[in-house]
Amino acid sequence: MKITSNFIPEFEKLFRQKLQLNNCRLRKKRQENNYEIITPAKDIFLMYWSEFPEINLIYQAVGVRTQQTEVYERAIRSHISFCVSSIQENPISESPLLVK
């Protein structure tokens, strides 16, 4: 199944839900397909893509990178993979994970 821009809002909604589990915030940047993820430890990650679902995640060096930073990075990468897989496996209208 090919992922199109129609899936981006569903990905964003599900991804926000997953980030809330780690008390992280997702902020959409002005530039299209660019997001900032802020962890409780004040680490900042940038998430972006040019062709969805090939998502890039980079750490913004705003301080000292700690072991806790690595834990958040692994969790965020896991959330990205989970959300993309869920959207690919479940059509938008049939996805039980995205029920309001």
Side-chain angles (χ1 to χ4, degrees), residues 6-98:
N6 297 336
F7 290 93
I8 293 172
E10 294 301 323
F11 167 81
E12 184 180 327
K13 181 179 176 182
L14 183 57
F15 188 62
R16 281 183 191 279
Q17 291 171 355
K18 297 297 279 180
L19 284 178
Q20 286 177 348
L21 298 174
N22 295 103
N23 296 315
C24 295
R25 293 180 299 152
L26 180 68
R27 188 172 66 164
K28 193 168 189 171
K29 305 292 274 180
R30 288 181 187 247
Q31 190 175 355
E32 188 177 1
N33 303 329
N34 278 277
Y35 299 82
E36 185 176 75
I37 301 164
I38 304 167
T39 70
K42 305 297 183 217
D43 293 313
I44 298 174
F45 294 90
L46 296 180
M47 178 178 74
Y48 64 95
W49 61 82
S50 52
E51 275 195 45
F52 190 83
E54 296 176 20
I55 298 171
N56 298 302
L57 181 70
I58 57 171
Y59 173 71
Q60 285 295 123
V62 292
V64 177
R65 188 177 173 107
T66 65
Q67 187 174 4
Q68 187 177 16
T69 304
E70 293 174 17
V71 171
Y72 279 114
E73 184 173 6
R74 280 194 304 270
I76 292 167
R77 289 185 188 282
S78 174
H79 294 332
I80 291 170
S81 295
F82 173 84
C83 295
V84 169
S85 295
S86 294
I87 290 171
Q88 287 176 330
E89 293 169 6
N90 299 307
I92 294 173
S93 61
E94 297 176 15
S95 176
L97 300 172
L98 302 174

